[in-house]
Amino acid sequence: PGRVDTAHVRGISNLQIDAPSGYVNIESSSVQVLLDDGAVEVSGQLSSATEVVPYSATVTLNWNDSNTQEVTLTGAVTFAHSNLRAGAHYNLIVRQNGAGNHLATWSGSDKFVGGQAVGGVLSTAANAIDRFDGIYTDGAEILWTTHRGIFAS
């Protein structure tokens, strides 16, 4: 990695840098980092904490809260999205409660291998866990891959 001489950071409410460890903590509701060469490089891990979303009949996943979100279903759900960014990667963990058998309805922008009737179908066993990994393309669709039935007891 090359050295960046200048960085412009907008929208930061708190910036902490621990030079010996290289740890940087940025707190902001919306951060934009622009480096002189137009690239952002990360050495090590880049992560955001999992946002646990409370169940409701319609769950709006606010992707500004985290790129990884999790919901435990206690009934049927309709998924909606807010604050998507073109090129961003998203992870959604959907858990069935102890009763299971809860179904999902997806937004028109959600696209799955085999269509919603195949890729968007949830595991319905009690305590089943499904994981969806997606990328938001050009502002029109989220392309999801499905990891179904990771765990069921």
Side-chain angles (χ1 to χ4, degrees), residues 63-79:
W63 295 107
N64 276 351
D65 291 338
S66 175
N67 286 55
T68 301
Q69 302 208 17
E70 178 179 326
V71 62
T72 299
L73 303 182
T74 59
V77 65
T78 298
F79 286 111

Side-chain angles (χ1 to χ4, degrees), residues 39-51:
V40 175
E41 292 185 23
V42 176
S43 176
Q45 297 184 43
L46 179 63
S47 65
S48 59
T50 299
E51 177 72 14

Side-chain angles (χ1 to χ4, degrees), residues 9-83:
V9 182
R10 297 182 196 133
I12 291 181
S13 59
N14 185 18
L15 174 64
Q16 300 169 340
I17 300 174
D18 180 5
S21 70
Y23 173 81
V24 177
N25 179 37
I26 300 173
E27 295 178 16
S28 174
S29 59
S30 176
V31 174
Q32 181 180 18
V33 179
L34 303 172
L35 304 180
D36 283 346
D37 63 1
V40 175
E41 292 185 23
V42 176
S43 176
Q45 297 184 43
L46 179 63
S47 65
S48 59
T50 299
E51 177 72 14
V52 177
V53 181
Y55 170 78
S56 66
T58 299
V59 170
T60 299
L61 302 165
N62 181 349
W63 295 107
N64 276 351
D65 291 338
S66 175
N67 286 55
T68 301
Q69 302 208 17
E70 178 179 326
V71 62
T72 299
L73 303 182
T74 59
V77 65
T78 298
F79 286 111
H81 306 278
S82 67
N83 296 308

